[in-house]
Structures are given as C-alpha cells and as structure tokens.
Amino acid sequence: MTTENAPRLASPAALLGEALPELLRLQQRLSLSGLEFDLLLQLLAAAIDPDQATALQALQQEPIGAGVRLHTLSRALGHGGRLTGPLSSALAPEGTLRTWGLLQRTDPSPMSMAFERYIVPREVVGLALGRPGLSPLVEQAGELLRGQAQEGQELHRADARQLLRTLASGKCAAVVARDLVSLRAGLAGLAASVGHKLLWVAIDEPRGDSAGGELRELLRVALRDALLHAAVLVLVLSPEDSRSHGGARQERLHRLARQAKQATVPLLFIKSDSGGRLGDLELRLRAPELPQRRAYLESALQSRGLRIDADSLQQVAEQFQLGLQGLGRAVERVSTGRLASGSQSAVQPVELGQAIAAEFAEVAAGTGDFLPDDDDLHLDDLKLPEDVTEDLLDLMARCRYRRQVFEGMKLGRLATTTGVVSLFVGPPGTGKTMAARVLCSQLGLRLLRIDLARLVSKWIGETEKNLAQVLDAAEDGLFAVLFDEADSLFGARTANVQSSADRYANMQTNYLLQRFDTFSGVAFLTSNFERGIDEAFKRRLTTRIEFPMPEKETRAAIWRGLVPGSLRLSQRALMSLAKTELSGGYIRNAVLRAAFRAARLGRPLRRADLAEAVAAELRAQGRLSEPIAGDIDEA
C-alpha cells in the first residue's frame, strides 16, 4: 500500500473512546507529562484499531508488528521525525513510561536511537479494552483475588481495623503473619471494602539473589499490574528477606515502596518475622479472636462428620491461639486418624491438642527438650516463702485469665502485650525451674526448656530464625518456653563494639527486645546473675520473682519431704542437717547421693550416708564443712 492510499492517522483520544477516562486517571496517578501521555495513546490506538495500525505502518514504511520506531512516533506526534530532547527523555529507561512498564522497547541494539522500536505490553492494551491482564511473571508467582466487601472476618478485629485504615490511607506497611490462609481471605475482603482487588504475589527466590534481574522485573510488573487493576499489592517475602536489614534485594523493596507511595498503590509486605524495616509501619497480626476460632473449629469438624461437645470446643479454642490454617490442619489430622481407627466417639480436647502439637514437633526437637509433666507436684511442695508463693499464684492467674481480662473486660489497652514473660532470679537450686514446671502443670501447658547449644547458630540470621520458630509456636499455645541461665542469651549489649562477635551478639539481643515487645505466649527466664541481663529487656518483663536461699526451718522441712520414709529422722536430726546452708536443689542432690551410696554398699540408707553426702556436696562447691554425722547419729 502506498503512502497516498494509506488511511490517515486518526486522533488516538477519539479511537480510545470509553477507555479515555481510565487512562486520564492513570496519567494523573503517575504524573505523566502531556508528551508521555500522547506517546502512550498513540501506541495504544495502533494496538486496538486496525486502521490506525495500517496508517502507522505506512508512515514507517515497514510492518509495525515488532514495534513502532522512534522516528515514526516523532512524525505521528508532529515532530517531523526529529529526535528531540523531550522525546528522548519521555522514552528514557528511567522515565515513567518505561519504569512502570507502560511501554516496552523491543530491539536490543538499534543502529541509532531513531530506529528504536516500542510496543505497549498486552496487559496495558487490556486496560484500554476494559479487561487488563496479568503479566506471565505475575501469573506464575501469584493471583488476583476479588473478595466480598467485609471487614476481615478471618482476622482479629483490632488487626482488621488497623489494616483497613492502612489500605484506605494508601500507606505501605509490613505485616508479620504466619497464617497466610486467614490473612489472604481477610485482606481480600478488606480490599474490596475500599474498592480494590487484591494482587497476591509470592517472592521465593534464593537469598543469594542469583536471579536478581528476574526479581527486579517481577517487582516492576507486579506494581504495574496492581496499578492497572486498582488492586492492593501484597508481596509475600521469604523468611530470609523478612529478617534482612540490607542488601540489594532490600534496596529493591524499598525502591518499590517509594514508587507505590508516589502512585498511591496500596502495598503490603508479608513477613514471617520481624526484622529489617520496610514501609511506613509494621503490624504483627494476632490469632483470630476466641469466637472466630471456636466457630471455625466447629464448622471444620462438622464438615468432616466429627462431633465435639461444647465444653471441649471451648477448651481447645481458648488454649490454642492458632489461625484458621493451623486449626484446619489439626482437624484434618484428627479426621485422618479417625478414618484409620474407625472411631465414632466425640472428639476430645487431648486429641486435637496432640494433632496441633504434632505440627510443631520438629520445631521443639530442634531447639530444646520438654520437661517431664508432674501433675502431683504443687507449689506448697517447693517450700518457698509465703510472699514468693503469692507472687507465683498471681503469675499463674495472669497466665490463666489474661484473655478474660484483656478481651472480656476490654482492658487490653492497658497492657503493652498480652503475653507473659517472667524472670526468676536467685541462687542455684532455689526452685526456679521447678516453679516453672509446677505452673505449667497447673495451667495444662507443656514446658519446653531451650537448649542454647541447639538454638544458637554460627550462621548469620539462623539464631533469630530458630528463636522465631519456637516463640511463634509458644504464641500459638502449644507450650511455654523456659530459658535457663537467661543472662547468656539476654545479656547486656556491648556499647564499644570491637569485633563481629560483639556485633552479632547485639543483633540477637536487639531481635529479642523487638520480638518480646509483641510476644503473646508464656515464657519463663531463670538466672543466677541478674546483673548480666540487658536493662532494656528487664523493662519488658511481666513479672520478676526472687527466689531466696531457704531459712533453716525451711531446709529442715525440705529434708523431711525428700528423705525416704524407711529412714526415720527425729526433729533434732533434721535440724542438724538443716544447719548446713544448702538450697533445695542441693539437698535433693545430697539425698540422691546418699541413696546411691547405700545401694552400692548393699544395705539400707543410714543417717551417716546423709552426713557424708552433705559433706560431698560442700566439697563439690568448694566449701568447708563441719562434721555433722555425730549429731545425726545421736539424734
């Protein structure tokens, strides 16, 4: 077709018709210049109108399927084919059109800038046709969700309100969450309530960023697609990215946040744990509230033909602070077990508890050991001073009734966190660990004693990862955690950093400080050296309870309670043993030492065995002892 016979170029605005208002809103949100907007309209019109494409092809004197050359665009816009400065700026790689992926350059190495070819990606063409699409990269990594307008029924009400305010304001936020099923459904409803769809994209590339170019392109087109679809962009970060404080990947995410804010695209980063700061604020999501958990649990059980009585349902919903994803997996595990056994009886709380605990068995095994349950042990058995016992009873009440007080009495605003973190301080053997065991036994919680050798890793970031896993499980109500010798992990930060070891130790303490700010589980810390614990951490404690060395009368009572009934001791003999200042733990060691000595000699336990065992305990501590065997024998 000759140039004379070719269709004349029509006005792009006239050809785009009904799509023009949407395109004008796009121009406003991205602050496109008049020339940038004209370039976009010219290429869009050619993409949707055959006559316009034919006219441009005649003007270019070659097919435009591979793209419209820059000199052709210059002529179409009335620049006479010249490569002007404004035109070059509008099509520069750092310009808005190419940064946002509205135009795409197709030829890698033209002979000159005038021969560069440009097209409009199909996702942008779809906007002009009223049906914008998703780029292949985004389709592979995520999905576009259209929810029913609701205020996040799957989420804690306070979290839902905060997220709704964040979405409405157009701010960028980092959301710390583990239950992605509840979160995705809740966010879709919240986005719909403010007139948006939800674009959910997972970023799961390796930490080394070997595919950095692909990540950069994914972030670019994901932000563009969110803009075209009027969607909230949700980026689910990998665990490594969640805790990272720097690096090329973090800088790309920060740059994306700035772009999103400029174009008022709501952006949420979903993180598995607190770490490097992203966005304007960070929200740590709680488990859904008790009525939500109870209703979901009941519905999930009924859908699988399983029965549970009301009291058992309430007990499980109260104890386990899981999201809907965790509860659903537990029900599925119970259902599978019931099918195998053929049982038709009502589901029991212990059955669901075991199913939930099984999900986190690997986490527990990698960080510590469960201490034995001892239902027969009570606080009175510890022979503690009355004021210490009262403090422990108050602590038990805080653990047991915190949801009743914070949610039922609406007093949550008075507490910085719903969790319980208690520090037990005192000399060795004064009953600190035993008190934690008794409290957990009374509360129906298992107690996981953290093994620092398993928890602390030489690899950067791994210690924080291990801590995050175990504290997350504790928040879900699966167990309480016990940090023995807490000063070794919660030690004071080093002001004068002189080595990488100092720097990483400070990073661990900073992580713990931040993590315990929002901790909602139960944790016990014991220490013989309180001065070694960071002062900032002490301010985050729920309670501090001091365990003193027992008085002489208390030591006598401990001896009476531990010595087997087969060996009868008079009050005088007990007081003679109690003259030696030993804590309850060392008295227990002495009784066991004496019993094993008697067994080795093949005879019953004698008073002299106890005296010798006391002397041995003192020698082990590097202390001198006075002879007490005669006093015991005479008694």
Side-chain angles (χ1 to χ4, degrees):
M1 180 183 295
T2 63
T3 304
E4 291 76 11
N5 297 327
R8 295 176 59 85
L9 286 172
S11 164
L15 294 174
L16 291 166
E18 295 179 356
L20 194 58
E22 189 65 37
L23 294 169
L24 286 169
R25 280 192 289 272
L26 183 66
Q27 178 191 23
Q28 184 178 14
R29 292 182 69 179
L30 296 181
S31 301
L32 295 176
S33 68
L35 178 57
E36 288 172 326
F37 192 55
D38 287 343
L39 280 166
L40 178 61
L41 296 187
Q42 193 67 250
L43 288 170
L44 274 175
I48 66 172
D49 186 86
D51 289 340
Q52 190 80 347
T54 302
L56 269 181
Q57 187 167 292
L59 194 63
Q60 185 162 289
Q61 298 183 354
E62 64 175 343
I64 62 170
V68 180
R69 294 193 185 275
L70 182 51
H71 68 77
T72 306
L73 288 170
S74 173
R75 294 175 65 187
L77 294 173
H79 291 240
R82 299 187 309 277
L83 186 61
T84 63
L87 196 58
S88 298
S89 298
L91 292 172
E94 65 277 8
T96 305
L97 289 173
R98 290 178 64 182
T99 298
W100 279 86
L102 301 179
L103 298 186
Q104 183 178 334
R105 180 178 158 185
T106 59
D107 52 339
S109 55
M111 293 177 289
S112 71
M113 288 185 64
F115 288 88
E116 292 176 356
R117 295 179 184 271
Y118 291 92
I119 63 169
V120 180
R122 65 176 180 84
E123 297 82 22
V124 185
V125 175
L127 178 69
L129 296 173
R131 50 176 188 274
L134 294 177
S135 73
L137 267 178
V138 174
E139 285 183 334
Q140 183 180 359
E143 60 181 319
L144 186 68
L145 304 172
R146 298 170 176 84
Q148 296 293 322
Q150 58 184 21
E151 294 191 358
Q153 294 177 2
E154 297 82 359
L155 304 173
H156 192 287
R157 283 179 296 178
D159 294 338
R161 288 194 294 268
Q162 179 70 42
L163 284 168
L164 191 59
R165 288 193 295 269
T166 301
L167 296 180
S169 67
K171 289 183 177 179
C172 169
V175 179
V176 181
R178 303 188 305 281
D179 183 2
L180 299 186
V181 172
S182 300
L183 179 61
R184 184 163 60 176
L187 282 177
L190 291 173
S193 67
V194 292
H196 289 290
K197 304 181 187 71
L198 190 78
L199 183 54
W200 182 278
V201 179
I203 302 176
D204 54 2
E205 292 182 70
R207 186 67 186 94
D209 199 20
S210 59
E214 184 176 340
L215 172 65
R216 185 165 51 247
E217 179 64 11
L218 173 60
L219 295 178
R220 185 177 70 84
V221 295
L223 186 59
R224 179 202 64 197
D225 289 358
L227 176 69
L228 298 180
H229 284 274
V232 175
L233 177 56
V234 178
L235 293 177
V236 184
L237 306 185
S238 68
E240 291 78 9
D241 284 325
S242 295
R243 289 183 294 274
S244 177
H245 291 265
R249 287 171 67 94
Q250 285 287 305
E251 179 52 39
R252 291 190 186 105
L253 296 176
H254 284 296
R255 191 181 305 125
L256 184 80
R258 291 192 293 269
Q259 278 186 270
K261 200 167 184 179
Q262 291 169 359
T264 63
V265 175
L267 172 62
L268 298 177
F269 294 107
I270 309 303
K271 306 166 63 179
S272 59
D273 195 23
S274 301
R277 182 65 182 267
L278 285 171
D280 302 308
L281 70 158
E282 181 172 291
L283 307 174
R284 189 174 193 91
L285 298 193
R286 290 156 283 192
E289 291 174 281
L290 177 59
Q292 297 167 286
R293 298 196 302 274
R294 187 175 56 227
Y296 178 83
L297 192 56
E298 184 176 25
S299 174
L301 287 166
Q302 288 177 350
S303 69
R304 291 166 176 79
L306 300 174
R307 296 180 295 109
I308 187 170
D309 64 72
D311 290 341
S312 296
L313 181 66
Q314 181 74 11
Q315 180 181 337
V316 173
E318 283 182 352
Q319 178 175 351
F320 298 108
Q321 309 298 297
L322 293 175
L324 307 189
Q325 182 178 13
L327 291 174
R329 284 201 303 262
V331 171
E332 185 62 36
R333 188 180 288 268
V334 170
S335 177
T336 301
R338 287 299 185 99
L339 286 174
S341 66
S343 174
Q344 299 294 319
S345 60
V347 174
Q348 299 300 311
V350 67
E351 200 174 352
L352 277 166
Q354 290 171 348
I356 292 170
E359 294 282 333
F360 295 87
E362 186 176 343
V363 172
T367 53
D369 298 294
F370 285 110
L371 295 181
D373 296 327
D374 198 340
D375 296 333
D376 296 328
L377 199 61
H378 302 280
L379 287 178
D380 291 341
D381 299 323
L382 302 184
K383 309 302 181 187
L384 297 168
E386 186 177 344
D387 59 335
V388 176
T389 301
E390 282 297 315
D391 288 343
L392 290 171
L393 289 172
D394 288 341
L395 176 58
M396 190 189 307
R398 176 120 186 184
C399 295
R400 178 170 286 156
Y401 302 116
R402 54 200 168 118
R403 291 174 188 89
Q404 177 181 329
V405 171
F406 293 142
E407 296 179 11
M409 297 183 185
K410 308 298 183 185
L411 293 177
R413 67 186 186 282
L414 302 182
T416 56
T417 177
T418 60
V420 176
V421 183
S422 187
L423 173 64
F424 295 169
V425 297
T430 49
K432 301 182 293 293
T433 299
M434 189 64 72
R437 283 181 58 188
V438 173
L439 290 179
C440 286
S441 177
Q442 297 294 310
L443 292 167
L445 281 174
R446 300 191 72 188
L447 182 60
L448 180 71
R449 178 163 55 190
I450 300 302
D451 182 345
L452 295 183
R454 278 185 266 176
L455 181 75
V456 177
S457 172
K458 66 180 180 180
W459 303 109
I460 299 173
E462 283 299 305
T463 300
E464 291 86 345
K465 177 182 176 181
N466 296 338
L467 279 165
Q469 289 179 329
V470 73
L471 293 177
D472 287 349
E475 284 187 317
D476 290 337
L478 299 173
F479 46 73
V481 288
L482 171 65
F483 294 92
D484 265 337
E485 300 180 12
D487 43 282
S488 60
L489 185 63
F490 299 85
R493 287 163 290 181
T494 304
N496 185 21
V497 177
Q498 296 183 345
S499 67
S500 59
D502 292 337
R503 183 166 63 254
Y504 294 135
N506 284 354
M507 286 174 57
Q508 288 177 17
T509 302
N510 288 334
Y511 169 78
L512 284 166
L513 289 171
Q514 184 181 41
R515 185 64 181 84
F516 274 97
D517 271 336
T518 56
F519 180 64
S520 60
V522 176
F524 301 102
L525 287 70
T526 69
S527 177
N528 308 326
F529 184 64
E530 185 182 6
R531 285 181 298 175
I533 296 178
D534 195 279
E535 287 296 325
F537 189 80
K538 292 180 185 178
R539 293 193 294 270
R540 289 162 169 80
L541 295 171
T542 307
T543 59
R544 172 194 175 277
I545 300 177
E546 187 168 352
F547 289 69
M549 283 292 292
E551 300 291 338
K552 184 177 180 181
E553 290 75 12
T554 305
R555 293 197 294 271
I558 295 172
W559 277 107
R560 183 184 298 110
L562 294 178
V563 172
S566 59
L567 178 61
R568 300 183 63 182
L569 292 176
S570 67
Q571 183 63 22
R572 180 180 172 186
L574 288 170
M575 294 306 292
S576 295
L577 287 167
K579 282 194 306 183
T580 304
E581 190 175 282
L582 292 174
S583 64
Y586 287 116
I587 293 174
R588 178 198 60 204
N589 291 348
V591 172
L592 288 172
R593 186 191 290 264
F596 280 113
R597 183 172 186 267
R600 176 174 61 85
L601 297 175
R603 58 170 174 74
L605 181 64
R606 297 175 180 174
R607 297 182 181 90
D609 295 327
L610 296 175
E612 175 56 35
V614 169
E617 286 296 321
L618 292 174
R619 287 195 300 272
Q621 298 177 42
R623 297 165 57 189
L624 297 176
S625 64
E626 296 181 2
I628 61 173
D631 292 342
I632 296 179
D633 289 338
E634 293 172 9

